Amino acid sequence: MDEGMYRLVMVAVGFFGIWEGIIALIYRIWTDKRPNVLTAANYLDAPWCYLVAGGTIVVAYLMLAVLEQGRKRADA
């Protein structure tokens, strides 16, 4: 992949990591909104939704780190 594709995938991973992780937690903790497709972690019961949202944040961060290393390698 070239640098542009790496950046595009990084934007998508970052968006879904933020939306499924941080935004799902915000919706669960501070709002009364019902879960939907974009906050799928909120369909789970109380302790599991927090674990899934936190796991999503960690996985997105790790994927971004791997993609950044691949982008640097492709750029060199």
Side-chain angles (χ1 to χ4, degrees), residues 5 8 10 12-14 22 24 26 36-37 39 41-43 45 48 50-51 53 57 63 65 75:
M5 284 302 293
L8 180 65
M10 289 170 72
V13 167
I22 297 168
I26 289 171
N36 60 28
V37 144
T39 55
N42 290 341
Y43 281 108
D45 291 331
W48 296 109
Y50 302 119
L51 290 173
I57 295 167
M63 286 178 68
D75 198 28

Side-chain angles (χ1 to χ4, degrees), residues 6 8 11-13 15 17 24-25 33 36 47 51 53 56 64 68 73 75:
Y6 274 108
L8 180 65
V11 166
V13 167
F15 172 77
L25 287 176
K33 292 187 177 182
N36 60 28
L51 290 173
T56 302
L64 286 173
E68 179 64 21
R73 227 180 343 214
D75 198 28

Side-chain angles (χ1 to χ4, degrees), residues 50-72:
Y50 302 119
L51 290 173
V52 168
T56 302
I57 295 167
V58 170
V59 168
Y61 178 76
L62 292 174
M63 286 178 68
L64 286 173
V66 168
L67 286 167
E68 179 64 21
Q69 291 300 319
R71 186 193 65 79
K72 286 180 182 176

